[in-house]
Amino acid sequence: MGDPQQDPELSYQQSARQRSSQDQGRSREQSLSQATVPQETQQLPLDAQVLSGITETPESQAPLQGWAQGAGLSQYDNSAVSQGGVQYLSMSAGFPADFQRQTYVDEGRVQATHNADFMLQQLQRGQGNLLQQLESSFQDPRPNYLGQFNAYQREDSQFGQGTQHGPYTRDDPALQFSSSELSFMPFDMEVSEPEPRELAVQNAKAYLQQTSVSCDLSLYEHLVNVLTKILNQRPQDPLSILESLNRTAQMEWFHPKLDTLRDDPEMQPTYEMAEKQKALFVRGGSGEGEQEVEEEPLETAVPNVMESAFYFEQAGVGLSSDESFRIFLALKQLVDQQPIHTCRFWGKILGLSRSYLVAEVEFREGEEDVEEEEVVEELTEGDVLDMHGEEEGEEDEEKVSDFLPKRTWKPPPVIPKEESRLGANKYLYFVCNEPGRPWTKLPHVTPSQIVQARKIKKFFTGHLDAPVISYPPFPGNEANYLRAQIARISAATHISPLGFYQFGEEEGDEEEEGGAGRDSFEENPDFEGIAVLELVDSMANWVHHTQHILPQGRCTWVNPLQKKEEEEELGEEEEKADEGMEEVEQEIGPPLLTPLSEDAEIMHMSPWTSRLSCSLCPQYSVAIVRSNLWPGAYTYATGNSRTSTLAGATSTVRRTSTRPCQPPFSRSTPAAQRSWR
Amino acid sequence: MDAESLLLSLELASGSGQGLSPDRRASLLTSLLLVKRDYRYSRVLFWGRILGLVTDYYIAQGLIEDQLAPRKTLYSLNCMEWSLLPPATEEMVEQTSVVKGRFMGDPSHEYEHVDLQKVNDGDKVFEEEIVVRIKEETRLVSIIDQIDKAVAVIPRGALFKTPFGPVHVNRTFEGLSMSEAKKLSSYFHFREPVELKNKTLLEKADLDPSLDFMDSLENDIPKGSWSIQMERGNALVVLRSLLWPGLTFYHTPGTKNCGYIYVGTGEKNIDLPFML
């Protein structure tokens, strides 16, 4: 046995480096091998290439390589590690003299412990070495980083097992060797000054690990996070997205998304809407199992919204299909709630904060009158009060000698609104903001509202009770304005192919009051359909099937001077002054079912544009007619010359805005569909 | 809207009611891909559709790497063959400002505008009527340019500016949060900033120079010219311009989906102040 204590200080640096590379090698080997025995320390790197990749100082490399060669020899010696280790070490040639000698000294386990001690020392003295070790491992092309980290931990556990006074050996050199029976003193027991390089590395690491006052995260930890993230996710080009990864890692640390106790407050309204819409999807009454067997498909007033949505999609118009389905369910809900005879999805009107979905319905016979009467009673009461007021006023005037000049201006007579189911009030309209929300009924429209609506142009806010502030002042709130616009749009843009509707058999005289002529129509059972190309070519093939609204605001003309029953009580003097002053002309509008070619031009433009839905396949195309007057009003019709046709007159209106010269955009979808067979 | 996410974008923007028919969608998917290859654009946007009396114009735009650089505009009548439009100049905009009414749908159509011009003929000064012919293509170019400058929208954080100048798409943009999405200040005009330098120093102190380098929507005049709504049960935020009716911007909060599309007649809503 040679003298193991051979100039330890001089070769300390050398050995330290060697040890570090040895550790490195060992740890690498540890990761490669599978034995987890504490005696792993003696297992040698199996892969010489690994070691060759280490950029250590040349002096340490030589022994390492020699060592590696030796490793190959004892590869199969895993079980008898210590012995093998000892033997191996004895065989290596270029090994540092001191170390070699040490191995000769002891038996296996002791040797293991001893080596472990050395490593621990090494570890504690020069943490920088390990850092160096870490750094060099990064430079290594072999992706063995995780192994490196694991090795570090394993070394820790080894030290726990191997040494009994792990962390204290640094301060108390004597304790380090209490478990060993070595008689020699290890060369590195004297606390020599750490190298400047190690010191610098220690300082750097301490700096990196400091945490600022404002946050708990130190740069060191953050860098570890980022690198771990990169290594886990393995993005394609990490350098180019480094900054964004950095930011994301920081955000994740500071804004963790786990909060199992509270619901996210921002998402509350979304969840509520989803709940409401879920209610739409639930079938009322029977459960799932019964539906297929027992119920027969009943005639229902709910229109086939999906079918019309399909045709409109061909035209490039319409809401998405899931939205259409939700509208269908909402209409079904409406039909269940109200006594409805026919129902149709009229369209959607866009508003500022919310939009309106409009449904055009007809109540069953007799259902509606109840509400009408209530409204009428209110009006008459109001009139009575007014009359009393005026009578008293007249009496006062007679008493007082110096009289105030009397007003000669009389407000223009109020034109009575049309009865329900007639003219502009032929249909009832329900609106809702979104499918799932309750439907609200719109009041009937009065002629004055229509007249005023023609003069103003306002956006809809989305709230039915919002006031309409405009000049000239509009009599009513947004609900009335909406209703008036709907009436105007319906009257202007509801069209159907020629012959689809025909007049009823017998009709009253045309000379009846109003002179509007026929005002009802019915479907033509003999309708055979018009070819799509013809529908597109000529506007004469289309007719209006809603009544035109006269300038008066009604569809049937009413002479405002005739109804003077109320005014007779006021005072005969005033009335006589009025007589004979005005002669009102009877207003006549185009009769029902007039073709579109008769429509007036707008600024040298035809008011309608028609085209095929798809020019690439004219055989299966749908004829689309678009209104230039009300942008957003569309009508489609398909014609099939061989079989019966599906003539659907449907239009969608987009938004309402008024323009002095042109009527507003609006969006309505009236759908009068029939499928013919 | 990005041509790569065309189908999803059309679904999300369909709340305004105007979209594309299936045959158009199919042709767009194919043809925009070819446009991207042929012209070497880094991104192709489907800008929208201008409704004409006879036919509609379909407009697409191509972008290079720098998102704020001037874009190339292409138009097509059938979504298959695309023709490049010349870039807009100020003269064009002036010239076409006199033309009113709908687009015809025929790119070679010429609008006639009678202009009174003073002609100096020696001592006499008299006015002559000169008929100015303006091509519809010119009008198309200027309208698209005006719409882009006025109402093209992008959410805050979708683009970021590098110190060297070019503006890039932000790949880590996760979308706006629900509360941010309802505020107009989180949306910017997708154009070179005009009002940014007029801000006070106090306001500028809070801005992040890499993200806040464009004008925000909240200072638009007249106030209220944007309608901001939640659709689809609160899962989608839609901005509609009231100045150019037909422009719809959609965004799903919490995701990257955003974009705008214009489907309309190409006419500015001059009555806007009266309508609010």
Side-chain angles (χ1 to χ4, degrees):
Chain A
M1 290 185 199
D3 187 3
Q5 286 178 327
Q6 201 177 39
D7 221 352
E9 284 105 351
L10 291 178
S11 61
Y12 176 74
Q13 285 189 14
Q14 198 183 16
S15 65
R17 286 221 191 88
Q18 287 161 356
R19 220 169 279 115
S20 72
S21 51
Q22 173 190 336
D23 292 340
Q24 200 172 14
R26 280 194 185 147
S27 55
R28 199 156 278 134
E29 160 230 353
Q30 282 156 18
S31 63
L32 290 175
S33 70
Q34 292 176 3
T36 54
V37 182
Q39 288 140 357
E40 272 173 35
T41 51
Q42 304 241 354
Q43 286 188 1
L44 302 165
L46 306 172
D47 195 354
Q49 287 176 6
V50 171
L51 294 176
S52 62
I54 298 168
T55 57
E56 294 287 316
T57 56
E59 53 185 335
S60 57
Q61 261 185 353
L64 273 176
Q65 283 175 355
W67 199 15
Q69 289 164 13
L73 292 171
S74 67
Q75 193 171 352
Y76 43 83
D77 223 355
N78 273 343
S79 52
V81 175
S82 51
Q83 293 288 339
V86 170
Q87 284 168 15
Y88 159 71
L89 284 172
S90 61
M91 284 195 287
S92 90
F95 218 75
D98 47 358
F99 201 84
Q100 217 169 9
R101 273 173 235 135
Q102 287 168 19
T103 60
Y104 282 127
V105 169
D106 284 327
E107 298 297 322
R109 291 210 181 151
V110 177
Q111 183 61 37
T113 315
H114 190 63
N115 286 340
D117 293 343
F118 286 145
M119 284 175 70
L120 173 63
Q121 241 173 28
Q122 149 80 33
L123 192 68
Q124 284 159 356
R125 293 221 177 160
Q127 284 186 8
N129 280 341
L130 272 179
L131 199 59
Q132 195 183 4
Q133 179 182 337
L134 284 173
E135 287 168 4
S136 55
S137 72
F138 280 141
Q139 293 164 18
D140 195 281
R142 295 270 297 206
N144 210 359
Y145 313 124
L146 293 176
Q148 193 65 42
F149 293 133
N150 291 343
Y152 184 75
Q153 289 164 4
R154 269 188 246 164
E155 285 167 354
D156 258 340
S157 61
Q158 286 159 33
F159 299 141
Q161 289 174 10
T163 61
Q164 296 170 5
H165 304 277
Y168 306 112
T169 50
R170 186 191 184 128
D171 296 321
D172 193 354
L175 285 176
Q176 193 172 22
F177 298 95
S178 59
S179 58
S180 70
E181 290 167 18
L182 294 170
S183 56
F184 61 89
M185 288 298 290
F187 47 83
D188 54 354
M189 270 301 89
E190 300 180 14
V191 182
S192 57
E193 280 189 17
E195 309 169 48
R197 189 163 171 181
E198 288 179 27
L199 189 61
V201 173
Q202 284 181 39
N203 284 343
K205 192 171 177 194
Y207 166 71
L208 288 176
Q209 279 181 328
Q210 75 187 11
T211 62
S212 69
V213 181
S214 53
C215 65
D216 286 337
L217 183 67
S218 72
L219 181 59
Y220 188 79
E221 284 180 63
H222 175 67
L223 286 174
V224 167
N225 284 346
V226 174
L227 287 171
T228 316
K229 193 173 163 136
I230 292 181
L231 294 171
N232 285 339
Q233 292 181 358
R234 304 288 168 126
Q236 283 280 355
D237 191 8
L239 183 58
S240 62
I241 52 173
L242 183 61
E243 284 96 18
S244 46
L245 281 176
N246 181 33
R247 202 177 275 216
T248 319
Q250 274 188 333
M251 268 195 46
E252 279 175 7
W253 180 277
F254 288 112
H255 302 282
K257 292 195 180 173
L258 303 170
D259 193 350
T260 50
L261 289 180
R262 279 190 314 169
D263 287 334
D264 190 356
E266 286 186 345
M267 295 294 284
Q268 266 312 101
T270 317
Y271 296 147
E272 281 173 15
M273 265 319 291
E275 290 275 337
K276 280 195 193 134
Q277 293 195 341
K278 184 178 164 184
L280 278 182
F281 287 87
V282 172
R283 271 181 76 90
S286 58
E288 282 285 326
E290 302 172 29
Q291 67 187 24
E292 300 302 330
V293 179
E294 296 188 9
E295 296 184 19
E296 293 173 1
L298 301 170
E299 272 290 320
T300 173
V302 187
N304 195 348
V305 173
M306 299 306 291
E307 194 179 354
S308 52
F310 166 75
Y311 282 110
F312 277 120
E313 200 190 356
Q314 301 294 312
V317 173
L319 306 170
S320 59
S321 43
D322 57 302
E323 195 69 23
S324 305
F325 190 73
R326 274 191 224 133
I327 292 173
F328 169 71
L329 289 176
L331 284 178
K332 197 163 87 120
Q333 194 188 45
L334 177 65
V335 166
D336 289 338
Q337 287 169 357
Q338 306 273 349
I340 289 178
H341 180 54
T342 60
C343 168
R344 205 171 65 106
F345 180 55
W346 189 87
K348 179 173 174 182
I349 294 195
L350 304 176
L352 291 184
S353 53
R354 293 191 295 193
S355 305
Y356 292 116
L357 293 170
V358 181
E360 182 185 76
V361 305
E362 253 185 46
F363 271 174
R364 287 196 281 265
E365 296 290 331
E367 291 288 340
E368 200 192 327
D369 299 343
V370 180
E371 300 177 35
E372 287 296 312
E373 288 171 12
E374 293 174 8
V375 174
V376 168
E377 284 169 15
E378 287 174 22
L379 282 179
T380 49
E381 283 173 21
D383 287 341
V384 166
L385 287 172
D386 282 340
M387 292 189 313
H388 282 310
E390 290 203 39
E391 286 176 5
E392 289 175 11
E394 286 181 43
E395 292 170 12
D396 282 340
E397 283 179 42
E398 289 171 5
K399 289 175 189 173
V400 176
S401 53
D402 54 335
F403 54 90
L404 297 168
K406 281 189 189 168
R407 289 194 307 179
T408 50
W409 177 79
K410 287 185 80 82
V414 174
I415 301 172
K417 74 175 183 193
E418 287 174 293
E419 296 294 313
S420 49
R421 298 175 194 273
L422 285 182
N425 287 325
K426 184 166 183 185
Y427 294 103
L428 261 183
Y429 292 92
F430 281 85
V431 292
C432 83
N433 288 117
E434 242 186 293
R437 292 199 192 270
W439 291 89
T440 321
K441 193 167 90 157
L442 286 181
H444 279 303
V445 67
T446 63
S448 63
Q449 284 169 358
I450 292 188
V451 168
Q452 295 297 90
R454 281 177 172 150
K455 297 181 190 164
I456 66 172
K457 191 170 167 182
K458 290 297 257 181
F459 285 120
F460 288 105
T461 61
H463 300 275
L464 282 175
D465 46 359
V468 177
I469 303 168
S470 64
Y471 183 77
F474 184 78
N477 58 10
E478 185 158 311
N480 303 106
Y481 184 47
L482 181 63
R483 181 65 182 84
Q485 294 291 77
I486 292 175
R488 290 175 68 199
I489 296 165
S490 301
T493 58
H494 285 201
I495 59 180
S496 55
L498 181 71
F500 187 81
Y501 289 116
Q502 69 180 11
F503 290 117
E505 293 285 317
E506 62 280 357
E507 277 294 331
D509 259 353
E510 284 198 21
E511 296 174 8
E512 274 184 11
E513 178 182 335
R518 310 155 185 171
D519 57 356
S520 75
F521 51 85
E522 55 185 33
E523 278 186 41
N524 185 352
D526 302 326
F527 182 56
E528 283 172 0
I530 308 179
V532 169
L533 288 173
E534 282 178 36
L535 284 176
V536 170
D537 276 337
S538 157
M539 284 293 109
N541 286 325
W542 295 87
V543 297
H544 287 277
H545 65 252
T546 42
Q547 277 182 308
H548 175 80
I549 299 186
L550 302 168
Q552 196 183 39
R554 288 175 55 115
C555 294
T556 53
W557 189 76
V558 155
N559 192 344
L561 298 177
Q562 285 183 6
K563 294 208 171 168
K564 287 212 166 182
E565 299 136 13
E566 304 156 13
E567 297 175 6
E568 285 174 7
E569 299 179 28
L570 285 178
E572 296 186 358
E573 315 153 10
E574 298 172 37
E575 193 184 328
K576 283 171 193 165
D578 289 333
E579 273 181 14
M581 264 177 57
E582 306 158 19
E583 281 184 12
V584 182
E585 280 185 20
Q586 185 181 25
E587 297 166 5
I588 302 177
L592 201 59
L593 298 190
T594 38
L596 298 192
S597 44
E598 311 278 326
D599 282 356
E601 274 192 359
I602 317 165
M603 292 172 62
H604 315 292
M605 254 182 347
S606 146
W608 300 94
T609 307
S610 63
R611 65 178 69 139
L612 281 178
S613 66
C614 173
S615 50
L616 295 170
C617 52
Q619 308 91 328
Y620 303 114
S621 274
V622 176
I624 311 285
V625 176
R626 187 178 78 202
S627 165
N628 294 326
L629 198 60
W630 294 92
Y634 289 83
T635 309
Y636 76 84
T638 69
N640 192 337
S641 54
R642 283 190 302 144
T643 61
S644 6
T645 66
L646 177 70
T650 316
S651 43
T652 64
V653 177
R654 226 186 38 172
R655 188 191 299 192
T656 49
S657 58
T658 338
R659 189 188 296 201
C661 54
Q662 283 186 13
F665 309 107
S666 20
R667 187 190 159 105
S668 59
T669 41
Q673 272 190 15
R674 285 308 162 97
S675 67
W676 283 80
R677 264 288 144 186
Chain B
M1 58 179 62
D2 228 328
E4 274 134 23
S5 54
L6 189 72
L7 293 177
L8 175 64
S9 310
L10 283 174
E11 272 271 320
L12 295 178
S14 63
S16 310
Q18 301 270 11
L20 292 177
S21 54
D23 58 315
R24 294 279 180 239
R25 261 183 269 156
S27 14
L28 269 184
L29 283 173
T30 330
S31 59
L32 287 182
L33 207 59
L34 293 176
V35 161
K36 184 170 174 181
R37 176 200 70 178
D38 291 338
Y39 290 89
R40 306 254 185 274
Y41 293 135
S42 77
R43 251 173 94 197
V44 176
L45 302 180
F46 176 59
W47 186 88
R49 190 165 91 154
I50 293 190
L51 308 171
L53 286 184
V54 176
T55 53
D56 299 337
Y57 293 106
Y58 295 87
I59 316 285
Q61 289 187 328
L63 276 74
I64 53 176
E65 267 298 323
D66 183 4
Q67 303 291 316
L68 277 191
R71 293 171 239 169
K72 304 277 190 297
T73 315
L74 303 105
Y75 81 95
S76 160
L77 293 168
N78 58 359
C79 280
M80 257 302 146
E81 287 129 17
W82 295 88
S83 331
L84 197 59
L85 283 174
T89 60
E90 294 214 0
E91 313 171 336
M92 274 194 209
V93 175
E94 259 185 57
Q95 202 185 28
T96 52
S97 58
V98 294
V99 182
K100 303 216 188 301
R102 301 281 300 272
F103 276 87
M104 278 303 143
D106 176 17
S108 56
H109 175 86
E110 289 186 343
Y111 297 96
E112 292 183 358
H113 170 67
V114 176
D115 203 10
L116 295 175
Q117 278 193 5
K118 288 193 176 168
V119 176
N120 271 334
D121 188 7
D123 292 334
K124 294 182 194 174
V125 175
F126 56 89
E127 290 186 359
E128 237 186 61
E129 284 191 2
I130 296 181
V131 176
V132 178
R133 288 175 177 272
I134 304 165
K135 286 179 67 175
E136 177 144 308
E137 215 177 71
T138 321
R139 188 179 172 209
L140 190 64
V141 167
S142 71
I143 291 280
I144 296 174
D145 185 60
Q146 282 179 42
I147 292 179
D148 266 343
K149 288 214 165 66
V151 288
V153 178
I154 195 127
R156 177 178 188 269
L159 302 180
F160 73 97
K161 188 169 179 158
T162 56
F164 306 112
V167 173
H168 294 290
V169 173
N170 186 3
R171 288 190 205 281
T172 61
F173 176 55
E174 294 276 343
L176 301 172
S177 67
M178 281 296 280
S179 56
E180 277 178 21
K182 295 187 188 161
K183 294 190 238 174
L184 269 187
S185 54
S186 349
Y187 301 99
F188 292 150
H189 283 283
F190 192 13
R191 56 148 205 242
E192 292 286 342
V194 168
E195 294 164 19
L196 207 55
K197 49 188 178 298
N198 295 339
K199 285 192 173 227
T200 64
L201 271 182
L202 211 58
E203 287 170 352
K204 280 197 218 169
D206 290 328
L207 299 180
D208 181 355
S210 66
L211 293 182
D212 295 300
F213 56 96
M214 291 182 281
D215 294 326
S216 158
L217 285 192
E218 60 178 349
N219 299 325
D220 270 4
I221 297 166
K223 213 163 168 133
S225 61
W226 288 94
S227 134
I228 181 164
Q229 282 185 32
M230 305 296 297
E231 291 209 351
R232 287 179 176 249
N234 237 22
L236 176 70
V237 61
V238 174
L239 266 79
R240 291 200 182 95
S241 166
L242 305 176
L243 187 61
W244 291 93
L247 183 104
T248 314
F249 170 84
Y250 60 88
H251 174 53
T252 321
T255 67
K256 277 179 67 161
N257 299 325
C258 65
Y260 66 91
I261 185 172
Y262 178 83
V263 180
T265 60
E267 288 165 315
K268 195 169 176 175
N269 184 13
I270 322 177
D271 302 320
L272 178 62
F274 298 106
M275 293 171 66
L276 287 174

